[in-house]
């Protein structure tokens, strides 16, 4: 069992590892006060003790959680990547939609803060 986000990411190879590292940097740039941890077997980021975003790595994709209760425009933008109720799944065969992921992280941070 991994104890840190760094260990979690190191458990992957190739493109999945690169993409998780890229997503981690993106999250920490947007949420510089985030505390990293591993929860539910995936990488998690909390601000003020409240969970904001989780990142999951898989052989053929990376995922961002929880993608729920989004405003209509953001929900429409994430729709092509939606996999199940609360998951955005980004295939390793396509470029990461960085702007969309940044918008998701900002929204989830505002939601966690009660804004």
């Amino acid at each position: 069992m991994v104890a840190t986000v760094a260990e979690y990411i190191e458990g992957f190879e190739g493109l999945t590892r690169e993409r998780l590292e890229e997503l981690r940097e993106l999250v920490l740039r947007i949420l510089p006060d985030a505390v990293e941890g591993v929860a539910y077997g995936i990488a998690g980021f909390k601000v003020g003790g409240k969970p904001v975003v989780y990142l999951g790595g898989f052989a053929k994709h990376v995922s961002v959680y929880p993608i729920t209760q989004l405003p209509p425009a953001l929900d429409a933008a994430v729709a092509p990547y939606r996999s199940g109720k609360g998951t955005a799944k980004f295939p390793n065969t396509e470029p990461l939609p960085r702007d969309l992921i940044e918008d998701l992280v900002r929204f989830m941070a505002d939601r966690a803060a009660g804004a």
Side-chain angles (χ1 to χ4, degrees):
M1 189 164 110
V2 297
T4 67
V5 170
E7 288 175 358
Y8 176 76
I9 292 172
E10 288 168 7
F12 294 93
E13 297 180 353
L15 195 52
T16 297
R17 180 188 281 191
E18 290 173 25
R19 291 163 78 87
L20 285 171
E21 288 172 350
E22 185 178 346
L23 288 172
R24 179 187 188 195
E25 291 171 11
L26 179 151
V27 169
L28 292 175
R29 186 170 31 79
I30 294 170
L31 306 173
D33 297 331
V35 175
E36 297 181 316
V38 176
Y40 310 107
I42 57 176
F45 301 83
K46 292 182 179 182
V47 175
K50 295 181 180 179
V52 174
V53 63
Y54 294 91
L55 307 175
F58 303 89
K60 296 184 179 185
H61 69 277
V62 293
S63 292
V64 176
Y65 316 86
I67 309 300
T68 57
Q69 301 172 351
L70 301 177
L74 191 53
D75 194 52
V78 81
Y81 304 101
R82 191 173 288 283
S83 173
K85 183 177 168 186
T87 304
K89 183 169 150 179
F90 303 102
N92 288 348
T93 56
E94 300 175 16
L96 279 175
R98 290 182 59 87
D99 291 344
L100 172 60
I101 296 168
E102 288 176 6
D103 290 345
L104 286 168
V105 172
R106 285 189 184 96
F107 172 78
M108 291 186 287
D110 289 346
R111 180 175 62 191

